[in-house]
Amino acid sequence: MIPELGHFCLAMAVALACAQGVVGIAGPTLKDPRALTAAPLLTLLHFTAISLSFLALVWAGVVSDFTVENIADFSSAQTPLLYRITGIWGNHDGSILLWCLILSLCGAAVAVGGKRLPASLRSRVLGVLGLISCGFLLFTLAVSDPFTRIWPPPLNGAGMNPILQDPGLAFHPPVLYTGYVGFSVAFAFAIAALIEGRIDAAWGRWVRPWALISWCFLTGGITLGSWWSYYTLGWGGFWFWDPVENAALLPWLTGTALLHCAIVVEKRESLKAWTVLLAIATFSLSLSGTFLVRSGILNSVHSFAEAPNQGLFILGLLGITICGSLLLFAVRAPILAGSGIYAPISRESALILNNIFLCAIAAVVFTGTLYPPFVNLLFGIQLSVGAPFFNQTVLPLTSPIILAMGVGPLLRWKRADLYPVMQRLWLAAAIAALVFIILTATKHIIAALGLAGGAWVVMAAFTDLAERVRLFRVPFGQSLQRLFTLPRAAIGAAMGHIGFGVSVIGIAAMTLATQKVIVLKPGQSTELGGYTWTLKDIHDAPGPNYQRRVADVVLSDNGHAFLTLHPSRRFFTAQHVITNDAAIHTNGFQDLYAVFASEQDGGAELRLNRHPGAPEIWFGGLIMAMGGFFSLSDRRLRVGAPFRKRVPGGATV
């Protein structure tokens, strides 16, 4: 009975989303206050209906209701409770329902938190979100129904994919989806503003916090996914230019550019057309990633192997979204002319340079990801574009961004002088040059460039904060007092740059990693990274729904044992699948990493790695996301642009 209730709520959500879309967009033209207040109410009802539907599916998973096909195919009675819940979004149908839930949550957030917006703009934003949600809900009901019943039910379910039974992946999809779907709000603001014909500094301030919170979640989701693949898959790396990894990177690149453009619109009322176009592109790329994962076009460990009609439905939604929004953009282009004037050397120019290279990287990644499948589709030719292509094309485009990130925050708006800025950055430049010279002597040119670039960005961000608090120019107590009175948005921006620099340092340091694949028998040793690795024992260990074979690997330094790693192999009896569980020891600056790959002749095939700088990759991503959330705590971003109040006599305050 509960699944039927969930299915009914899902159908009800379609009707409410459709009504939200129609009333929200058409309401302002009726000039009726009741029409303007109807859209927020319909949005909240729409969110309630989807929430009840999602909870019904979660209930079916928790109680192992195998009459629901989705539960029978992706859960079992032996699956731990956590993964019976997270398994709901570990498959295609459930993940689409989660997508719809987050989309409705975004609409509810605008309905509740956007009360200071002009009523007509809020209504149209909610209307656009309603139409998007209606499309996805129709997709769910038509070709991806998570409540389909089967009879007779199996005695036990097939079980969840063993690779997905991990805490990291339990939280990775919801966080990543929130980033993906969150950009629908920026897209809705862009479309609503084009409909109204109003894009100004106030619009830039309204759209900026929604873009920022989406960017924070997307950054966190990508970081979680990278960390999960690093320690779960046993590959020993953090990024493999996998097609679906690239699909997540694309909206992050354009979303970062959008975030910076919104600042220029708010401060200078420039780059209006560019900002609107980036809002459209970012959400379109989020939808493109959904299409690529579910259409079967891309082969990836992340992909859902689903029927082609599901991909065609999403392709239709994608086509309507892109074509419709670009057509509206073309019609409204005359209202997007910028009014700000600025010199070639200014903060505006630095942001433009940053955005040009971010979009260039996005274009390269997009081409490299989609070129092979389209060549195969059109000409039947099998091509492979791998890490060498992306490394050789993306890295040169990243260098100007790194340089601009150091200089840009210290430049003035409208017109600036480069020489005084470089005088303030002498310490950052000196440290970066010193790092480069030291590592060049060891003949690691790529690592030297990366570490120097990361150090440059980090030190430049600290220099920006030091300039703001007048460090060493006034008493330290006054500097500390000024620090606590700085706008939180400024501190958050500096944290974002510091996080990016830390990640660059970690990525560059990983090029110095050492690794070895070797077969050892108990008692045998090998040398790697200045340590002695000894296989001590191989033994069995029980698990909740799997059996384990564990290898005990002892690490010694100059004959003194200081660490024991326990890599293991897990055999899941329900699915007859074997997975590797890597053992990792970190001190915050390097990882010692061991994988038990297989058993051979009474010994173990081990993959041993020493990864300098690996933790900094994820620390950097965490710092970036925290910087974004810290910026959101700034009252100017939370409150948004104020209304213009009129006083008696018609004057505007």
Side-chain angles (χ1 to χ4, degrees):
M1 187 63 186
I2 297 295
E4 278 71 26
L5 178 61
H7 193 274
F8 173 78
C9 290
L10 189 59
M12 182 65 69
V14 175
L16 290 169
C18 183
Q20 174 188 333
V22 173
V23 173
I25 292 178
T29 61
L30 301 177
K31 297 181 180 180
D32 187 342
R34 291 175 298 179
L36 296 177
T37 58
L41 178 60
L42 287 169
T43 302
L44 295 176
L45 292 174
H46 166 212
F47 169 66
T48 303
I50 295 184
S51 299
L52 292 174
S53 179
F54 187 80
L55 289 175
L57 189 60
V58 171
W59 180 89
V62 169
V63 301
S64 298
D65 184 355
F66 298 131
T67 63
V68 179
E69 186 176 13
N70 182 277
I71 305 303
D73 289 343
F74 300 101
S75 184
S76 70
Q78 289 75 36
T79 302
L81 177 60
L82 173 64
Y83 303 124
R84 273 183 273 163
I85 297 174
T86 61
I88 299 301
W89 54 79
N91 61 85
H92 171 78
D93 297 344
S95 68
I96 288 294
L97 186 59
L98 176 65
W99 179 287
C100 295
L101 174 65
I102 296 174
L103 184 55
S104 67
L105 176 62
C106 291
V110 175
V112 174
K115 294 179 179 179
R116 292 180 61 89
L117 294 172
S120 61
L121 179 64
R122 180 173 70 154
S123 178
R124 288 194 166 110
V125 168
L126 295 176
V128 174
L129 291 173
L131 292 180
I132 296 171
S133 184
C134 183
F136 273 96
L137 288 169
L138 285 174
F139 167 72
T140 304
L141 281 177
V143 297
S144 187
D145 187 358
F147 295 102
T148 301
R149 292 279 199 173
I150 56 173
W151 193 265
L155 294 177
N156 196 4
M160 187 179 181
N161 186 340
I163 294 179
L164 305 182
Q165 296 188 33
D166 180 85
L169 202 66
F171 302 104
H172 161 59
V175 175
L176 186 70
Y177 280 12
T178 304
Y180 271 153
V181 179
F183 280 112
S184 65
V185 178
F187 172 80
F189 266 96
I191 299 302
L194 289 175
I195 294 173
E196 291 206 334
R198 175 194 175 185
I199 298 179
D200 52 16
W203 179 87
R205 179 173 287 189
W206 288 325
V207 78
R208 186 176 161 198
W210 300 104
L212 180 57
I213 193 170
S214 304
W215 181 88
C216 291
F217 276 103
L218 187 57
T219 302
I222 292 174
T223 302
L224 273 173
S226 172
W227 180 56
W228 168 79
S229 65
Y230 173 74
Y231 76 82
T232 297
L233 297 181
W235 295 345
F238 61 94
W239 193 267
F240 304 95
W241 294 108
D242 178 90
V244 179
E245 288 180 337
N246 295 348
L249 180 63
L250 286 169
W252 185 88
L253 292 168
T254 56
T256 304
L258 168 64
L259 199 55
H260 289 82
C261 272
I263 297 174
V264 180
V265 173
E266 178 187 348
K267 300 290 185 182
R268 305 292 303 150
E269 291 203 36
S270 297
L271 304 184
K272 296 178 183 177
W274 192 235
T275 304
V276 171
L277 197 58
L278 282 172
I280 294 172
T282 302
F283 184 60
S284 298
L285 288 172
S286 297
L287 291 182
S288 299
T290 306
F291 164 69
L292 294 173
V293 172
R294 288 164 173 81
S295 63
I297 288 180
L298 297 180
N299 293 319
S300 163
V301 297
H302 302 75
S303 300
F304 293 99
E306 294 296 332
N309 63 334
Q310 294 176 338
L312 290 175
F313 198 110
I314 298 179
L315 182 61
L317 289 177
L318 182 61
I320 294 172
T321 300
I322 295 177
C323 295
S325 56
L326 289 181
L327 178 61
L328 180 61
F329 176 81
V331 171
R332 290 293 196 176
I335 70 169
L336 301 178
S339 58
I341 299 176
Y342 46 87
I345 299 179
S346 61
R347 187 175 296 189
E348 293 94 330
S349 297
L351 290 172
I352 291 173
L353 178 68
N354 171 76
N355 288 355
I356 288 173
F357 281 99
L358 282 172
C359 292
I361 294 173
V364 168
V365 175
F366 184 84
T367 303
T369 303
L370 291 186
Y371 181 71
F374 276 107
V375 168
N376 185 31
L377 181 66
L378 295 176
F379 305 107
I381 301 174
Q382 295 285 347
L383 293 178
S384 177
V385 176
F389 166 80
F390 292 108
N391 291 336
Q392 293 172 16
T393 53
V394 170
L395 292 181
L397 293 173
T398 307
S399 301
I401 296 177
I402 290 176
L403 290 174
M405 286 179 68
V407 177
L410 292 170
L411 292 174
R412 291 185 177 182
W413 294 102
K414 193 174 181 179
R415 183 183 299 274
D417 190 352
L418 190 59
Y419 181 70
V421 172
M422 296 309 299
Q423 282 185 314
R424 297 170 189 167
L425 291 171
W426 70 268
L427 180 60
I431 292 176
L434 182 64
V435 170
F436 179 76
I437 292 171
I438 292 174
L439 285 177
T440 302
T442 63
K443 299 181 180 180
H444 293 98
I445 302 300
I446 300 298
L449 288 171
L451 289 169
W456 161 258
V457 172
V458 171
M459 292 306 301
F462 278 117
T463 300
D464 178 32
L465 291 176
E467 287 293 319
R468 289 175 180 270
V469 301
R470 300 175 62 90
L471 188 64
F472 303 129
R473 287 183 288 173
V474 298
F476 181 76
Q478 292 185 22
S479 294
L480 192 61
Q481 185 178 5
R482 291 173 68 93
L483 177 64
F484 286 108
T485 58
L486 281 180
R488 294 182 182 178
I491 299 176
M495 290 175 63
H497 284 199
I498 291 170
F500 181 82
V502 170
S503 289
V504 169
I505 290 172
I507 292 170
M510 276 285 281
T511 63
L512 304 176
T514 54
Q515 57 184 348
K516 179 183 289 188
V517 179
I518 190 171
V519 177
L520 297 177
K521 293 185 177 180
Q524 292 182 335
S525 302
T526 187
E527 299 291 328
L528 177 70
Y531 302 113
T532 301
W533 306 62
T534 304
L535 177 62
K536 182 179 180 181
D537 186 27
I538 303 174
H539 58 90
D540 292 323
N545 61 334
Y546 54 79
Q547 295 294 323
R548 284 199 305 164
R549 289 285 286 171
V550 181
D552 296 332
V553 181
V554 178
L555 279 80
S556 304
D557 186 11
N558 294 326
H560 299 286
F562 67 93
L563 175 67
T564 301
L565 298 177
H566 305 282
S568 65
R569 288 167 55 78
R570 297 178 177 180
F571 176 70
F572 290 80
T573 55
Q575 298 87 0
H576 300 284
V577 172
I578 297 177
T579 64
N580 295 322
D581 182 27
I584 306 172
H585 173 77
T586 183
N587 61 5
F589 298 99
Q590 75 166 0
D591 286 349
L592 300 175
Y593 185 107
V595 176
F596 183 9
S598 64
E599 286 192 70
Q600 297 185 12
D601 300 326
E605 179 187 350
L606 300 174
R607 299 173 189 166
L608 309 177
N609 301 265
R610 177 178 174 268
H611 292 157
E616 276 60 50
I617 298 172
W618 300 288
F619 288 156
L622 179 62
I623 294 171
M624 280 191 282
M626 289 175 59
F629 284 117
F630 192 77
S631 292
L632 284 169
S633 68
D634 193 319
R635 186 177 183 276
R636 295 178 304 167
L637 287 180
R638 287 185 288 107
V639 172
F643 290 117
R644 293 182 177 272
K645 298 181 179 179
R646 292 191 174 274
V647 299
T652 300
V653 179

